[in-house]
Amino acid sequence: MLYFSPWKTVLIWLAVVVGILFAIPNLFAPTTLQSFPGFLPQSRLALGLDLQGGVHLQLKLDRQELVENRLETVRDDVRRLLRADSIGYTGLSGRGQTVTVRIRDEADIERAKSALASLTEPVSGGLLSGGILQEVARDEPELGLFQFNITDQGIDYRMAQAVTQTVEVIRGRIDELGTTEPVIQRQGTDRIIVQVPGLDDPQRLKDLIGTTARLTFQMVDVTTPVEDAINTRPPAGTEVLYSTDDPPIPYLIETREIVTGENLEDAQAGFDQRTNEPIVTFRFDGTGAQRFGRATQENVGRPFAIVLDNQVVSAPVINEPILGGSGQISGNFSVEGANDLAILLRAGALPLTPTFVEERTVGPSLGADSVAAGEIAGIIGSILVVAFMFLAYGFFGLVANVALIVNVILVVAALSGLGATLTLPGIAGIVLTVGMAVDSNVLIFERIREERAAGRSVIQAIDTGFQKALATIVDANLTTLIAAVILFYLGSGPIRGFAVTLAIGIVTTVFTAFVLTRWMIAFWVRRQKPKELPRGPVTFVPEGTRIAFMWLRRITFSGSAVLVIASMVLFATVNMNLGIDFKGGSLIEVQSKSEQADIGDIRARLNNLNLGDVQVQGFGTERDVLIRIEAQGGGENAEQTVITNVRSELESDYDFRRVEVVGPTVSGELARAGTIAVVSALLAILVYIWLRFEWQFAVGAIIATTHDVLLTIGMFVVTGLEFNLSSIAAILTIVGYSLNDTVVVYDRVRENLRRYKKMQLPELLDLSMNQTLPRTIQTSLTTLLALMALFFFGGEVLQSFVAAMIFGVVVGTYSSIFIAAPLLILFKLRPGALDRDDKEKDATATTQPVDFGTS
């Protein structure tokens, strides 16, 4: 185990060097990286919106709107095809997903079937239905009565097309803004995620991507006064539309479209040479120019309307034919408004009107503050952990610290190489990795000490210690990895970033602890030929400690049962402080432009807006205020209206540093996903431990972990801390940490069951607890040191998350000793249960009486 061939040594350090090369670009600005040689890695770690500021939006396309559009299209197609063949019909109507029409003359039925056959032809659906599908199916319930049913498969196909088209249109619009590295991607069957880093004007972005931008050119009907059309009903073939003016001006518009935005070839913002007002100039393609030229020739002296999303932008009079295929749109635009309209027209129209179901905006100043807080917390946490390891293990502690530094470098390198995004929870994952990374080294070092105390030589103790620690390290880290993987697949947004960081940290921890640390210690042994193991200046758990843990099991069981029942009762009777992630609503963080925020004034101004329950409280400094507004209950768009109203009310006196809006659809989905994530993690780990150990161990580990989760939920209820998506991440990490600790304990119990087959189980459990006590105490302390640094210096945004983690570490350590182990007695575990798996019997082991007191 301590021999490394030259090629293994080269591979180990090659991996370290490659990690350093991938991590180095993060120390330089992008402009500096351009001067690097081309063969060197140049990808930098991308910062999430919560670290650099920006806007995150989730859009939803309405399936019902698509159904209605398709219904209207099929109805119009039926009318057009029958009229083209001069076939008489009656009762043409549409309802639900069915269009009905009756052919008047029986002699025309066969001709009608031929004329309408094109509606039911299969279409290419890609991977759907083996490549083809039928959008419309025809039924004939009685002679001459046709029903055209729009299939669900056809709607799914059109929905997929609409989402893809919307993604491309939005990408074209955002690219025109000149922002850096926007993320536009589909999510599920009807959602689109839009993330724009560094943007500080979310309202402009929402206006830009939320506008359908369907442009049409239609004639104005001047034969009927528009007031008469409003008071009675518009003549056939016309409709009343209103202008964008304030107040809006009504126009009677012919429904026939001369030209649409699909015929536009280009649109640019400019200035009118006569009035110097901002305008938008446009140019049609060949088909559009021909249609527009013919229409203007036939209608000289009449006004025509330029209509954008059913609003009249302008209605100029045609003074002379416009034959050049180009023109201009004027409408009292601002410079920015004209530019945005040109962007909309160039990018094209959206197929469906999107609804904003989630918004998260972080101002650049808050992002910079978060980065600074994360850096400070990371530095302080690292210093504390490094100092602790040296105090506990001396030279071995220094070796572990080198491995720890390499570990962090490899985490950063992996995130950079994968193009991952680092978020605030991701920083928490790195700091947590720093605290937990020493666990594997502590396991190894404590094993080495045990083997040396058992009479082995230094070299034998080191070699055996590494061998015996390997299985425990793999089991302990795999449980946490399972939780991280499930969190990644079932989580969303920043939580997935946390899961990625944690998972990478687990992999690099196993490499640095078992491979790199072993190489450095082997190198030290060959060079120094030590006669004794190095010791640290401080002994945290004295040798020979004998605590009768099992004697306390009745007390701990009773106390834990009372606390768990109390947590469940509180959860059922007291309203948990759910964040907007789970109950919907709006959360806004503002900072006063003056020296101090006036909370009373903010509360009074917002109460005048009739927004329902509004909570206003201080947050951080005297200038910072946190505003929570309850869900409006008026659908997804009602939440967006709230933000618009609050911005207009407060933006003159306050800077908006953070905005989070979650509609009812998303909040319900997040609540379900969070519950499923926790349950799935527990079930997956149950199966893993069952396969690796026995059923008693698996059930005991799940009960102990469930105990930790329930107590953590009780802590949220009692303290009133906000329970949000980060809290779910904290609970799942507690699940992984608690099981990590429990598996280490169970691994020692399993080993001792094979060795001491005649020892009473309570005595054997006490022996196992005391043997693993130094590792348990020191790992918990290092993790707590890292978390305490994050709690005090990581910023208030993460405090509820870190508070849950601190509580979970304490409770997880307690449950591993006082819950998980005694449960094995309750389940009547016997040493014989492991006989079938006992392939490594220790023939020299002898049963020694151990006196731990009364059990």
Side-chain angles (χ1 to χ4, degrees), residues 694-769:
E694 292 293 324
W695 71 265
Q696 293 97 331
F697 292 98
V699 176
I702 294 303
I703 291 176
T705 305
T706 304
H707 160 275
D708 300 342
V709 171
L710 292 176
L711 287 187
T712 304
I713 291 175
M715 183 272 294
F716 273 102
V717 176
V718 171
T719 60
L721 288 174
E722 182 179 293
F723 192 82
N724 50 31
L725 276 179
S726 295
S727 305
I728 291 290
I731 286 179
L732 276 169
T733 309
I734 290 168
V735 167
Y737 180 87
S738 176
L739 282 164
N740 183 305
D741 210 11
T742 300
V743 166
V744 170
V745 171
Y746 275 178
D747 191 77
R748 183 58 63 95
V749 172
R750 180 176 59 175
E751 180 182 331
N752 286 335
L753 281 170
R754 288 173 172 150
R755 175 172 296 184
Y756 306 114
K757 296 188 177 182
K758 296 181 180 180
M759 183 181 291
Q760 292 296 314
L761 187 58
E763 295 179 359
L764 186 142
L765 292 175
D766 275 336
L767 174 63
S768 302
M769 296 305 103

Coordinates of all heavy atoms in Angstrom, one line a residue, residues 694-769:
E694 N -26.4 -5.0 6.7 CA -27.6 -5.9 6.9 C -28.8 -5.0 7.1 O -28.7 -3.8 7.3 CB -27.4 -6.7 8.2 CG -26.3 -7.8 8.1 CD -26.7 -8.9 7.1 OE1 -27.9 -9.2 7.0 OE2 -25.8 -9.4 6.3
W695 N -30.0 -5.6 7.1 CA -31.2 -4.8 7.2 C -31.3 -4.0 8.5 O -31.8 -2.9 8.5 CB -32.5 -5.7 7.0 CG -32.8 -6.6 8.2 CD1 -32.4 -7.9 8.3 CD2 -33.5 -6.3 9.4 NE1 -32.8 -8.4 9.5 CE2 -33.5 -7.4 10.2 CE3 -34.1 -5.1 9.8 CZ2 -34.2 -7.4 11.4 CZ3 -34.8 -5.1 11.0 CH2 -34.8 -6.2 11.8
Q696 N -30.8 -4.6 9.5 CA -30.8 -3.8 10.8 C -30.0 -2.5 10.7 O -30.5 -1.5 11.2 CB -30.2 -4.7 12.0 CG -31.0 -5.9 12.3 CD -30.5 -7.1 11.6 OE1 -29.9 -7.1 10.6 NE2 -30.7 -8.3 12.3
F697 N -28.9 -2.6 10.0 CA -28.1 -1.3 9.8 C -28.8 -0.3 9.0 O -28.9 0.9 9.2 CB -26.7 -1.7 9.2 CG -25.8 -2.5 10.1 CD1 -25.7 -3.8 10.0 CD2 -25.0 -1.8 11.0 CE1 -24.9 -4.6 10.7 CE2 -24.1 -2.5 11.8 CZ -24.1 -3.9 11.7
A698 N -29.4 -0.8 7.9 CA -30.1 0.0 6.9 C -31.3 0.7 7.6 O -31.5 2.0 7.6 CB -30.6 -0.7 5.7
V699 N -32.1 0.0 8.3 CA -33.3 0.6 9.0 C -32.9 1.5 10.1 O -33.4 2.6 10.3 CB -34.2 -0.5 9.5 CG1 -35.4 0.1 10.3 CG2 -34.8 -1.4 8.4
G700 N -31.8 1.1 10.9 CA -31.3 1.9 11.9 C -30.8 3.3 11.4 O -31.1 4.3 12.0
A701 N -30.1 3.2 10.3 CA -29.5 4.5 9.7 C -30.7 5.4 9.2 O -30.6 6.6 9.4 CB -28.6 4.1 8.5
I702 N -31.7 4.8 8.6 CA -32.8 5.6 8.1 C -33.6 6.2 9.3 O -34.0 7.4 9.3 CB -33.7 4.8 7.2 CG1 -33.0 4.4 5.9 CG2 -35.0 5.6 6.9 CD1 -32.5 5.6 5.1
I703 N -33.8 5.4 10.4 CA -34.5 6.0 11.5 C -33.8 7.1 12.1 O -34.3 8.2 12.5 CB -34.8 4.9 12.5 CG1 -35.8 3.9 12.0 CG2 -35.3 5.5 13.9 CD1 -36.1 2.7 12.9
A704 N -32.4 6.9 12.3 CA -31.6 8.0 12.9 C -31.6 9.2 12.0 O -31.7 10.4 12.5 CB -30.2 7.5 13.1
T705 N -31.5 9.0 10.7 CA -31.5 10.2 9.8 C -32.9 10.9 9.8 O -33.0 12.1 9.8 CB -31.1 9.8 8.4 OG1 -29.9 9.1 8.4 CG2 -31.0 10.9 7.5
T706 N -34.0 10.1 9.8 CA -35.3 10.7 9.9 C -35.4 11.5 11.1 O -36.1 12.6 11.1 CB -36.4 9.6 9.8 OG1 -36.2 8.9 8.6 CG2 -37.8 10.2 9.8
H707 N -34.9 11.0 12.2 CA -34.9 11.7 13.5 C -34.2 13.1 13.3 O -34.7 14.1 13.8 CB -34.1 10.8 14.5 CG -33.6 11.6 15.7 ND1 -32.4 12.2 15.7 CD2 -34.1 11.8 17.0 CE1 -32.2 12.7 16.9 NE2 -33.2 12.5 17.7
D708 N -33.1 13.1 12.6 CA -32.4 14.4 12.4 C -33.2 15.3 11.6 O -33.2 16.6 11.8 CB -31.0 14.1 11.7 CG -30.1 13.2 12.6 OD1 -30.4 13.1 13.8 OD2 -29.2 12.6 12.0
V709 N -33.8 14.8 10.5 CA -34.6 15.7 9.6 C -35.8 16.3 10.4 O -36.1 17.5 10.3 CB -35.1 14.9 8.4 CG1 -36.1 15.7 7.6 CG2 -33.9 14.5 7.5
L710 N -36.5 15.4 11.2 CA -37.7 15.9 11.9 C -37.3 17.0 13.0 O -38.0 18.0 13.1 CB -38.4 14.8 12.6 CG -39.1 13.8 11.6 CD1 -39.7 12.6 12.4 CD2 -40.2 14.5 10.8
L711 N -36.2 16.8 13.6 CA -35.7 17.7 14.6 C -35.3 19.0 13.9 O -35.5 20.1 14.5 CB -34.6 17.2 15.4 CG -34.9 16.1 16.5 CD1 -33.7 15.8 17.3 CD2 -36.0 16.5 17.4
T712 N -34.7 18.9 12.8 CA -34.3 20.2 12.0 C -35.6 20.9 11.6 O -35.6 22.2 11.7 CB -33.5 19.8 10.8 OG1 -32.4 19.0 11.2 CG2 -33.0 21.0 10.1
I713 N -36.6 20.2 11.1 CA -37.9 20.9 10.8 C -38.5 21.6 12.0 O -39.0 22.7 12.0 CB -38.9 19.9 10.2 CG1 -38.3 19.4 8.8 CG2 -40.2 20.5 10.1 CD1 -39.2 18.4 8.2
G714 N -38.4 20.9 13.2 CA -38.9 21.5 14.4 C -38.1 22.7 14.8 O -38.7 23.7 15.3
M715 N -36.8 22.7 14.5 CA -36.0 23.9 14.7 C -36.4 25.1 13.9 O -36.5 26.2 14.4 CB -34.5 23.6 14.4 CG -33.5 24.7 14.7 SD -33.3 25.8 13.3 CE -32.5 24.8 12.1
F716 N -36.8 24.8 12.6 CA -37.3 25.9 11.8 C -38.6 26.4 12.3 O -38.8 27.7 12.3 CB -37.5 25.3 10.4 CG -36.3 25.4 9.5 CD1 -35.6 24.3 9.2 CD2 -35.9 26.6 8.9 CE1 -34.4 24.3 8.4 CE2 -34.8 26.7 8.1 CZ -34.1 25.5 7.9
V717 N -39.5 25.6 12.8 CA -40.7 26.0 13.4 C -40.5 26.9 14.6 O -41.1 28.0 14.8 CB -41.7 24.8 13.7 CG1 -43.0 25.3 14.4 CG2 -42.0 24.1 12.5
V718 N -39.7 26.4 15.5 CA -39.5 27.1 16.8 C -38.8 28.4 16.6 O -39.1 29.4 17.2 CB -38.6 26.2 17.8 CG1 -38.2 27.0 19.0 CG2 -39.5 25.0 18.2
T719 N -37.7 28.5 15.8 CA -36.9 29.7 15.6 C -37.6 30.7 14.6 O -37.3 31.9 14.6 CB -35.5 29.3 15.1 OG1 -35.7 28.7 13.8 CG2 -34.8 28.4 16.0
G720 N -38.5 30.2 13.8 CA -39.2 31.1 12.8 C -38.3 31.4 11.6 O -38.6 32.3 10.9
L721 N -37.2 30.7 11.5 CA -36.3 30.9 10.3 C -37.1 30.6 9.0 O -37.9 29.7 9.0 CB -35.1 30.0 10.4 CG -34.0 30.4 11.4 CD1 -32.9 29.3 11.5 CD2 -33.4 31.7 11.1
E722 N -36.8 31.3 8.0 CA -37.5 31.1 6.7 C -37.1 29.8 6.1 O -35.9 29.4 6.0 CB -37.2 32.2 5.8 CG -37.9 32.1 4.4 CD -37.6 33.3 3.5 OE1 -38.0 34.4 3.8 OE2 -36.9 33.0 2.4
F723 N -38.1 29.0 5.7 CA -37.9 27.7 5.1 C -38.0 27.9 3.6 O -39.1 28.1 3.1 CB -38.9 26.7 5.6 CG -38.5 25.3 5.2 CD1 -37.6 24.5 6.0 CD2 -39.1 24.7 4.1 CE1 -37.3 23.2 5.6 CE2 -38.8 23.4 3.8 CZ -37.9 22.7 4.5
N724 N -36.9 27.8 2.8 CA -37.0 28.0 1.4 C -36.2 26.9 0.7 O -35.9 25.9 1.2 CB -36.4 29.4 1.1 CG -35.1 29.6 1.8 OD1 -34.3 28.7 2.0 ND2 -34.8 30.9 2.1
L725 N -35.8 27.1 -0.6 CA -35.1 26.2 -1.4 C -33.8 25.8 -0.8 O -33.3 24.7 -0.8 CB -34.9 26.7 -2.8 CG -36.1 26.4 -3.8 CD1 -35.7 27.0 -5.1 CD2 -36.4 25.0 -3.9
S726 N -33.1 26.8 -0.2 CA -31.8 26.6 0.4 C -32.0 25.7 1.6 O -31.1 24.9 2.0 CB -31.2 27.9 0.8 OG -30.8 28.7 -0.3
S727 N -33.1 25.8 2.3 CA -33.4 24.9 3.5 C -33.5 23.5 3.1 O -33.0 22.6 3.8 CB -34.6 25.4 4.2 OG -34.6 26.8 4.5
I728 N -34.1 23.2 1.9 CA -34.2 21.9 1.4 C -32.7 21.4 1.1 O -32.4 20.2 1.4 CB -35.0 21.8 0.1 CG1 -36.5 22.1 0.4 CG2 -34.8 20.5 -0.6 CD1 -37.1 21.0 1.2
A729 N -31.9 22.2 0.5 CA -30.5 21.8 0.3 C -29.8 21.5 1.6 O -29.0 20.6 1.7 CB -29.7 23.0 -0.4
A730 N -30.1 22.3 2.7 CA -29.5 22.1 4.0 C -29.9 20.8 4.5 O -29.1 20.0 5.1 CB -29.9 23.2 4.9
I731 N -31.2 20.4 4.4 CA -31.8 19.2 5.0 C -31.2 18.0 4.3 O -30.8 17.0 4.9 CB -33.3 19.2 4.9 CG1 -33.9 20.1 6.0 CG2 -33.8 17.8 5.1 CD1 -35.4 20.2 6.0
L732 N -31.0 18.1 2.9 CA -30.4 17.0 2.2 C -29.0 16.8 2.5 O -28.4 15.7 2.6 CB -30.6 17.2 0.7 CG -32.0 16.7 0.2 CD1 -32.2 17.2 -1.2 CD2 -32.1 15.2 0.3
T733 N -28.3 17.9 2.8 CA -26.9 17.8 3.2 C -26.8 17.2 4.6 O -25.9 16.4 4.9 CB -26.2 19.2 3.2 OG1 -26.5 19.8 1.9 CG2 -24.7 19.1 3.3
I734 N -27.7 17.6 5.5 CA -27.8 17.0 6.8 C -28.0 15.5 6.7 O -27.4 14.7 7.4 CB -28.9 17.6 7.6 CG1 -28.5 19.0 8.0 CG2 -29.2 16.8 8.9 CD1 -29.6 19.9 8.6
V735 N -28.9 15.1 5.7 CA -29.1 13.6 5.5 C -27.7 13.0 5.1 O -27.4 11.9 5.7 CB -30.1 13.4 4.4 CG1 -30.1 12.0 3.9 CG2 -31.5 13.8 4.8
G736 N -27.0 13.6 4.2 CA -25.7 13.0 3.8 C -24.7 13.0 4.9 O -24.0 12.0 5.2
Y737 N -24.6 14.1 5.7 CA -23.6 14.2 6.8 C -24.0 13.2 7.9 O -23.1 12.5 8.4 CB -23.6 15.6 7.3 CG -22.6 15.7 8.5 CD1 -21.3 16.1 8.2 CD2 -23.0 15.5 9.8 CE1 -20.4 16.2 9.2 CE2 -22.1 15.7 10.8 CZ -20.8 16.0 10.5 OH -19.9 16.1 11.5
S738 N -25.3 13.1 8.3 CA -25.7 12.2 9.3 C -25.4 10.8 9.0 O -24.9 10.0 9.8 CB -27.2 12.4 9.6 OG -27.6 11.5 10.6
L739 N -25.7 10.4 7.7 CA -25.5 9.1 7.3 C -24.0 8.8 7.2 O -23.5 7.7 7.4 CB -26.2 8.8 5.9 CG -27.7 8.6 6.1 CD1 -28.3 8.8 4.7 CD2 -27.9 7.2 6.6
N740 N -23.2 9.8 6.8 CA -21.8 9.7 6.7 C -21.2 9.3 8.1 O -20.5 8.3 8.2 CB -21.2 11.0 6.3 CG -19.7 10.9 6.1 OD1 -18.9 10.6 7.0 ND2 -19.2 11.4 5.0
D741 N -21.7 10.0 9.1 CA -21.3 9.7 10.5 C -21.7 8.3 10.9 O -21.0 7.5 11.5 CB -21.8 10.8 11.4 CG -20.9 11.0 12.6 OD1 -19.8 10.5 12.6 OD2 -21.3 11.7 13.5
T742 N -23.0 8.0 10.6 CA -23.6 6.7 11.0 C -22.9 5.6 10.4 O -22.6 4.5 11.0 CB -25.1 6.7 10.7 OG1 -25.7 7.8 11.4 CG2 -25.7 5.4 11.1
V743 N -22.6 5.7 9.1 CA -21.9 4.6 8.4 C -20.5 4.4 8.9 O -20.1 3.2 9.0 CB -21.8 5.0 6.9 CG1 -20.9 4.0 6.1 CG2 -23.2 4.9 6.2
V744 N -19.8 5.4 9.3 CA -18.5 5.2 10.0 C -18.6 4.4 11.2 O -17.9 3.4 11.5 CB -17.8 6.6 10.3 CG1 -16.6 6.4 11.1 CG2 -17.5 7.3 9.0
V745 N -19.6 4.7 12.0 CA -19.9 4.0 13.3 C -20.3 2.6 13.0 O -19.8 1.6 13.6 CB -21.0 4.7 14.1 CG1 -21.4 3.9 15.3 CG2 -20.4 6.1 14.6
Y746 N -21.2 2.4 12.0 CA -21.7 1.1 11.7 C -20.6 0.2 11.1 O -20.5 -1.0 11.3 CB -22.8 1.1 10.7 CG -24.2 1.4 11.4 CD1 -25.3 1.5 10.6 CD2 -24.3 1.4 12.7 CE1 -26.6 1.7 11.1 CE2 -25.6 1.6 13.3 CZ -26.7 1.8 12.5 OH -27.9 2.0 13.1
D747 N -19.7 0.8 10.4 CA -18.6 0.1 9.8 C -17.7 -0.5 10.9 O -17.2 -1.7 10.8 CB -17.8 1.0 8.9 CG -16.8 0.2 8.0 OD1 -17.2 -0.4 7.0 OD2 -15.6 0.2 8.4
R748 N -17.5 0.3 11.9 CA -16.7 -0.3 13.1 C -17.4 -1.3 13.8 O -16.9 -2.3 14.3 CB -16.3 0.9 14.0 CG -15.4 0.4 15.2 CD -14.1 -0.3 14.7 NE -13.3 0.7 13.9 CZ -12.3 1.4 14.5 NH1 -12.0 1.2 15.7 NH2 -11.6 2.2 13.7
V749 N -18.7 -1.1 14.0 CA -19.6 -2.2 14.6 C -19.5 -3.5 13.8 O -19.3 -4.6 14.4 CB -21.0 -1.7 14.8 CG1 -21.9 -2.8 15.3 CG2 -21.1 -0.5 15.7
R750 N -19.6 -3.4 12.5 CA -19.6 -4.6 11.7 C -18.2 -5.3 11.9 O -18.1 -6.5 12.0 CB -19.8 -4.2 10.2 CG -19.8 -5.4 9.3 CD -20.1 -5.0 7.9 NE -19.2 -4.0 7.4 CZ -19.3 -3.5 6.1 NH1 -20.2 -4.0 5.3 NH2 -18.5 -2.6 5.7
E751 N -17.2 -4.5 11.9 CA -15.8 -5.1 12.0 C -15.7 -5.8 13.4 O -15.2 -6.9 13.5 CB -14.8 -4.0 11.9 CG -13.3 -4.5 12.1 CD -12.3 -3.3 12.0 OE1 -12.6 -2.4 11.3 OE2 -11.3 -3.5 12.6
N752 N -16.2 -5.2 14.4 CA -16.1 -5.8 15.8 C -17.0 -7.0 15.9 O -16.7 -7.9 16.7 CB -16.4 -4.7 16.8 CG -15.2 -3.7 17.0 OD1 -14.1 -4.0 16.7 ND2 -15.5 -2.5 17.5
L753 N -18.1 -7.0 15.2 CA -19.0 -8.2 15.3 C -18.3 -9.4 14.7 O -18.5 -10.5 15.2 CB -20.3 -7.9 14.4 CG -21.4 -7.0 15.1 CD1 -22.4 -6.7 14.1 CD2 -22.0 -7.8 16.3
R754 N -17.5 -9.2 13.7 CA -16.7 -10.3 13.1 C -15.6 -10.7 14.1 O -15.2 -11.9 14.1 CB -16.2 -9.9 11.8 CG -17.3 -9.8 10.7 CD -16.7 -9.3 9.4 NE -17.7 -9.4 8.3 CZ -17.7 -8.5 7.3 NH1 -16.9 -7.5 7.3 NH2 -18.6 -8.7 6.4
R755 N -15.1 -9.8 14.8 CA -13.9 -10.1 15.6 C -14.3 -10.6 17.0 O -13.7 -11.6 17.5 CB -13.1 -8.8 15.8 CG -11.9 -8.9 16.7 CD -11.0 -7.7 16.7 NE -10.4 -7.5 15.4 CZ -9.5 -6.6 15.1 NH1 -9.2 -5.7 16.1 NH2 -9.0 -6.5 13.9
Y756 N -15.3 -10.0 17.6 CA -15.7 -10.4 19.0 C -17.0 -11.0 19.0 O -18.0 -10.4 19.3 CB -15.7 -9.2 19.9 CG -14.4 -8.4 19.9 CD1 -14.3 -7.1 19.4 CD2 -13.2 -9.0 20.4 CE1 -13.1 -6.4 19.4 CE2 -12.0 -8.3 20.4 CZ -12.0 -7.0 19.9 OH -10.8 -6.3 19.9
K757 N -17.1 -12.3 18.5 CA -18.4 -12.9 18.3 C -19.1 -13.4 19.6 O -20.3 -13.7 19.5 CB -18.2 -14.1 17.4 CG -17.7 -13.7 16.0 CD -17.7 -14.9 15.0 CE -17.3 -14.4 13.6 NZ -17.3 -15.5 12.6
K758 N -18.4 -13.4 20.7 CA -19.0 -13.8 21.9 C -19.3 -12.6 22.9 O -19.8 -12.8 24.0 CB -18.2 -14.8 22.6 CG -18.0 -16.1 21.9 CD -17.2 -17.1 22.6 CE -17.0 -18.4 21.8 NZ -16.2 -19.4 22.5
M759 N -18.9 -11.4 22.5 CA -19.1 -10.3 23.3 C -20.6 -9.8 23.3 O -21.2 -9.9 22.2 CB -18.2 -9.1 22.8 CG -18.3 -7.9 23.7 SD -17.2 -6.5 23.1 CE -15.6 -7.2 23.4
Q760 N -21.1 -9.4 24.4 CA -22.5 -8.9 24.5 C -22.6 -7.7 23.6 O -21.7 -6.8 23.6 CB -22.8 -8.6 25.9 CG -22.9 -9.8 26.8 CD -24.0 -10.7 26.4 OE1 -25.2 -10.3 26.1 NE2 -23.8 -12.0 26.3
L761 N -23.7 -7.6 22.9 CA -23.9 -6.5 21.9 C -23.7 -5.1 22.6 O -23.1 -4.2 22.0 CB -25.2 -6.6 21.2 CG -25.4 -5.6 20.1 CD1 -24.4 -5.8 19.0 CD2 -26.8 -5.9 19.4
P762 N -24.3 -4.8 23.8 CA -24.1 -3.5 24.4 C -22.7 -3.2 24.6 O -22.2 -2.0 24.4 CB -24.9 -3.5 25.7 CG -26.0 -4.6 25.4 CD -25.3 -5.6 24.6
E763 N -21.9 -4.2 25.1 CA -20.5 -3.9 25.3 C -19.8 -3.7 24.0 O -18.9 -2.8 23.9 CB -19.9 -5.1 26.0 CG -20.4 -5.4 27.4 CD -19.8 -6.6 28.1 OE1 -19.0 -7.2 27.4 OE2 -20.2 -6.9 29.3
L764 N -20.1 -4.5 23.0 CA -19.5 -4.3 21.7 C -19.8 -2.9 21.1 O -18.9 -2.3 20.5 CB -20.0 -5.4 20.7 CG -19.3 -5.5 19.4 CD1 -19.1 -6.9 18.9 CD2 -20.1 -4.7 18.3
L765 N -21.0 -2.5 21.3 CA -21.3 -1.1 20.8 C -20.6 0.0 21.5 O -20.1 0.9 20.9 CB -22.9 -0.9 20.9 CG -23.7 -1.8 19.9 CD1 -25.2 -1.5 20.2 CD2 -23.4 -1.5 18.5
D766 N -20.4 -0.2 22.8 CA -19.7 0.8 23.6 C -18.2 0.8 23.1 O -17.6 1.9 23.0 CB -19.7 0.4 25.1 CG -20.9 1.0 25.8 OD1 -21.5 2.0 25.2 OD2 -21.4 0.5 26.8
L767 N -17.7 -0.4 22.9 CA -16.3 -0.4 22.4 C -16.2 0.3 21.0 O -15.3 1.1 20.8 CB -15.9 -1.9 22.2 CG -14.5 -2.2 21.5 CD1 -13.4 -1.6 22.4 CD2 -14.3 -3.7 21.3
S768 N -17.1 0.0 20.1 CA -17.1 0.7 18.8 C -17.3 2.2 18.9 O -16.6 2.9 18.2 CB -18.2 0.1 17.9 OG -18.1 -1.3 17.8
M769 N -18.2 2.7 19.8 CA -18.4 4.1 19.9 C -17.1 4.8 20.4 O -16.7 5.8 19.9 CB -19.5 4.4 20.9 CG -20.9 3.9 20.5 SD -21.4 4.5 18.9 CE -21.2 3.0 18.0

